[in-house]
């Protein structure tokens, strides 16, 4: 348990050696918030919203949404709940603690493989599945006492917004209606706490990566998230009550490369801790109509023609995730991306 950064970092004067990044992995010069990252009002005219989302997905692989349907109260309740959760005495979190990112509900420090990391990230993460709720919520924390009820409601609302946006993306791409209902059923959450850090120039919250799944929704309360565009890092504005929406590798593949996944990372802060509440939508292993037929991920048939042949191979998502995790465990600097073996 001693490993949870939040359990020992309060008041430390310097970054412990095993959290000091080698120079090439440090955040570098301060990076300001970039006001060009699109902020899309979901209540605007539908066809306008479709065009804005598509453009953002092509140029940035990321955008923010406001008026998205999840109430401000619900988002505020989540902030209060997770503040309470992370501030609970250590004994109350012990049962969830695991050394590595894993199945079920786990609370861990740093990345997916603490024991094998050369250097650790300045964060603690609570992670669990969300869909279907009845199956997973019994494994969620039972403290604070309202956890399962409140997070259950939040998961349902974020799911509605998630599919709304996936459908808008599908419409923009020209996919068959309901395309994403068939491929994406899985939903899981990671809630990260990045405690105040005595020297943000030496540590990292999360290293640069793109997510493996289809699309990710992020609620944040402080600056810290940065994305890479045209080889440069830029800061994502922490707009209260907005969701940051970012594209994962799977959507890049489905769109046959028309939409881009986005490389992102998190830097730490010396004056405030940061909490991000992240919801991932991912392909389900099997089709919703049949437990036996596997979902195959590939460039959508609607987007492939003889003039525009598939740029990626077909695969089962679980195989891709295994390759992705193996790639992420390789020491940095790494060549290429997890997408490379899947390209034609
Ligand atoms: C992630 C991630 C960013 C953040 O969980 O994959 O990139 O701001 N999180 O916590
Ligand atoms: Ni990510």
């Amino acid at each position: 348990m001693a490993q949870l950064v939040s359990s020992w970092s309060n008041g430390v004067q310097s970054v412990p050696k095993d959290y000091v990044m080698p120079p090439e992995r440090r955040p570098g010069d301060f990076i300001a918030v970039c006001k060009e990252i699109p902020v899309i009002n979901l209540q605007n005219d539908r066809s306008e919203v479709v065009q804005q989302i598509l453009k953002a997905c092509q140029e940035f692989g990321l955008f923010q949404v406001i008026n998205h349907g999840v109430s401000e109260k619900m988002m505020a309740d989540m902030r209060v709940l997770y503040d309470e959760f992370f501030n609970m005495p250590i004994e109350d979190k012990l049962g969830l603690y695991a050394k590595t990112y894993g199945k079920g509900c786990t609370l861990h420090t740093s990345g997916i493989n603490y024991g094998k990391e050369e250097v650790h990230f300045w964060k603690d993460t609570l992670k669990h599945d969300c869909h279907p709720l009845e199956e997973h919520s019994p494994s969620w924390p039972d403290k604070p006492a309202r956890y399962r009820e409140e997070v259950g409601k939040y998961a349902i609302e974020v799911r509605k917004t998630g599919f709304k946006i996936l459908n808008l993306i599908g419409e923009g791409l020209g996919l068959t209606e309901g395309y994403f209902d068939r491929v994406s059923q899985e939903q899981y959450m990671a809630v990260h706490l990045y405690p105040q850090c005595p020297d943000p120039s030496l540590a990292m919250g999360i290293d640069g990566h793109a997510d493996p799944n289809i699309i990710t929704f992020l609620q944040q309360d402080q600056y810290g998230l940065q994305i890479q565009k045209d080889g440069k890092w830029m800061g994502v504005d922490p707009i209260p009550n907005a969701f940051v929406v970012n594209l994962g590798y799977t959507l890049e593949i489905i769109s046959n490369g028309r939409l881009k996944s986005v490389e992102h990372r998190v830097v730490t802060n010396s004056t405030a801790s940061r909490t991000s509440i992240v919801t991932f939508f991912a392909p389900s292993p099997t089709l919703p109509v049949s437990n036996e037929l596997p979902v195959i991920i590939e460039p959508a048939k609607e987007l492939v023609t003889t003039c525009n042949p598939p740029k990626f191979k077909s695969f089962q998502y679980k195989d891709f995730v295994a390759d992705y995790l193996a790639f992420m465990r390789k020491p940095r600097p790494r060549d290429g991306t997890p997408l490379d073996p899947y390209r034609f």
Side-chain angles (χ1 to χ4, degrees):
M1 199 65 183
Q3 283 168 340
L4 277 184
V5 184
S6 54
S7 70
W8 54 259
S9 62
N10 196 2
V12 292
Q13 299 297 308
S14 60
V15 177
K17 225 172 59 240
D18 50 347
Y19 285 80
V20 174
M21 288 284 152
E24 68 283 3
R25 291 174 67 185
R26 291 178 194 167
D29 293 337
F30 175 77
I31 288 161
V33 152
C34 170
K35 293 289 181 188
E36 277 145 46
I37 296 175
V39 180
I40 299 174
N41 182 348
L42 273 202
Q43 276 174 3
N44 282 353
D45 172 68
R46 185 180 171 97
S47 57
E48 188 187 320
V49 170
V50 167
Q51 290 319 312
Q52 285 173 343
I53 290 182
L54 210 67
K55 187 159 184 275
C57 292
Q58 287 170 319
E59 287 178 9
F60 290 87
L62 175 140
F63 55 93
Q64 302 213 50
V65 278
I66 53 171
N67 294 322
H68 41 62
V70 181
S71 75
E72 288 186 9
K73 164 140 191 348
M74 190 172 255
M75 296 183 87
D77 287 348
M78 285 294 108
R79 285 193 284 274
V80 173
L81 179 78
Y82 282 111
D83 199 35
E84 232 173 274
F85 173 82
F86 282 112
N87 277 310
M88 289 190 312
I90 250 151
E91 305 78 70
D92 288 339
K93 293 179 277 199
L94 209 53
L96 299 167
Y97 185 65
K99 282 207 169 119
T100 50
Y101 181 93
K103 280 250 157 253
C105 178
T106 54
L107 177 63
H108 69 278
T109 295
S110 190
I112 52 175
N113 209 9
Y114 186 94
K116 293 208 173 132
E117 290 168 355
E118 292 147 44
V119 54
H120 306 305
F121 300 116
W122 195 263
K123 79 163 170 73
D124 296 329
T125 298
L126 173 71
K127 178 190 159 280
H128 57 62
D129 288 319
C130 296
H131 183 79
L133 213 50
E134 321 73 72
E135 192 179 309
H136 299 295
S137 65
S139 72
W140 295 359
D142 54 6
K143 283 186 188 163
R146 61 187 193 286
Y147 188 99
R148 294 178 188 172
E149 190 189 337
E150 278 195 8
V151 176
K153 287 187 184 149
Y154 178 78
I156 289 172
E157 290 306 306
V158 177
R159 190 172 181 85
K160 286 186 202 155
T161 300
F163 277 89
K164 207 187 297 174
I165 289 186
L166 283 172
N167 286 332
L168 292 167
I169 292 175
E171 189 175 321
L173 284 172
L175 303 183
T176 316
E177 213 182 316
Y179 184 93
F180 290 106
D181 299 337
R182 262 167 286 128
V183 296
S184 68
Q185 292 293 317
E186 303 255 298
Q187 179 183 350
Y188 54 96
M189 280 172 83
V191 184
H192 306 293
L193 171 66
Y194 305 89
Q196 244 174 284
C197 176
D199 189 347
S201 73
L202 299 178
M204 278 308 282
I206 303 187
D207 247 347
H209 70 282
D211 297 344
N213 53 301
I214 296 180
I215 200 167
T216 305
F217 279 64
L218 180 140
Q219 172 181 344
Q220 57 174 346
D221 59 355
Q222 289 285 341
Y223 176 60
L225 180 65
Q226 300 178 345
I227 61 168
Q228 199 172 54
K229 183 172 186 295
D230 307 325
K232 268 187 13 210
W233 289 104
M234 43 182 69
V236 180
D237 199 3
I239 302 174
N241 303 312
F243 277 113
V244 177
V245 181
N246 75 264
L247 272 59
Y249 286 127
T250 303
L251 190 47
E252 179 164 344
I253 292 166
I254 289 172
S255 73
N256 204 23
R258 221 176 128 191
L259 310 183
K260 301 285 171 229
S261 57
V262 62
E263 177 98 357
H264 53 285
R265 67 179 191 179
V266 176
V267 297
T268 63
N269 186 324
S270 62
T271 53
S273 68
R274 172 174 183 271
T275 303
S276 60
I277 305 169
V278 193
T279 300
F280 301 84
F281 294 97
S284 89
T286 55
L287 287 175
V289 289
S290 152
N291 280 330
E292 271 146 45
L293 290 176
V295 166
I296 301 295
I297 301 300
E298 59 190 359
K301 297 265 188 289
E302 296 91 320
L303 304 180
V304 172
T305 59
T306 37
C307 306
N308 189 23
K311 295 191 171 79
F312 301 94
K313 301 171 189 164
S314 305
F315 57 90
Q316 288 195 39
Y317 186 63
K318 65 174 175 19
D319 298 332
F320 176 63
V321 170
D323 288 351
Y324 174 87
L325 293 175
F327 181 92
M328 298 304 281
R329 287 191 176 105
K330 284 196 230 165
R332 293 184 183 241
R334 308 184 281 237
D335 283 335
T337 79
L339 271 192
D340 296 341
Y342 291 84
R343 288 183 208 280
F344 276 123

